[in-house]
Amino acid sequence: MNVNLTPKLEEMVKDKVATGLYNNASEVVREALRLMEARDRHEVLREEAQKGVVQLREGRSSPLDMKAAKKVAEQNAKRGRKVNPLVTP
């Protein structure tokens, strides 16, 4: 795979390698992608938390039953349905 970077981004990668923390440009890019993945997971959690806040404000809340949630997730997985990654069995 070839990736084209702007001169500014290319310089950033070179600077990171020059610090000695990374051996080459590939390591810098892999770390950047890992951080992007973590940010995406964080965003999913933030969205779910916001949904919960709305439900609480509207009085639509109930105690969490993890056994029941896990059971539903397992049933959905067996049926080939998409399982929310936050409740993966």
Side-chain angles (χ1 to χ4, degrees):
M1 172 186 294
N2 288 325
V3 178
N4 296 317
L5 301 175
T6 64
K8 182 178 178 180
L9 291 175
E10 188 173 340
E11 190 62 34
M12 285 177 60
V13 171
K14 288 178 183 177
D15 289 346
K16 291 292 182 182
V17 173
T19 66
L21 293 173
Y22 302 93
N23 292 317
N24 54 49
S26 293
E27 287 184 6
V28 175
V29 172
R30 283 192 293 271
E31 177 68 10
L33 291 171
R34 281 191 291 272
L35 290 169
M36 186 185 306
E37 183 180 41
R39 185 192 65 203
D40 291 347
R41 283 192 311 268
H42 182 76
E43 184 58 32
V44 168
L45 292 173
R46 185 186 351 254
E47 289 170 3
E48 290 298 315
Q50 184 57 38
K51 288 178 190 176
V53 169
V54 169
Q55 289 173 348
L56 283 171
R57 287 183 181 154
E58 294 174 352
R60 297 183 297 126
S61 64
S62 59
L64 176 62
D65 182 347
M66 280 307 292
K67 278 188 174 182
K70 191 170 185 176
K71 185 176 180 180
V72 170
E74 288 171 350
Q75 290 170 347
N76 285 336
K78 286 178 185 175
R79 293 182 182 134
R81 295 181 182 162
K82 185 176 180 181
V83 177
N84 183 325
L86 300 174
V87 193
T88 301

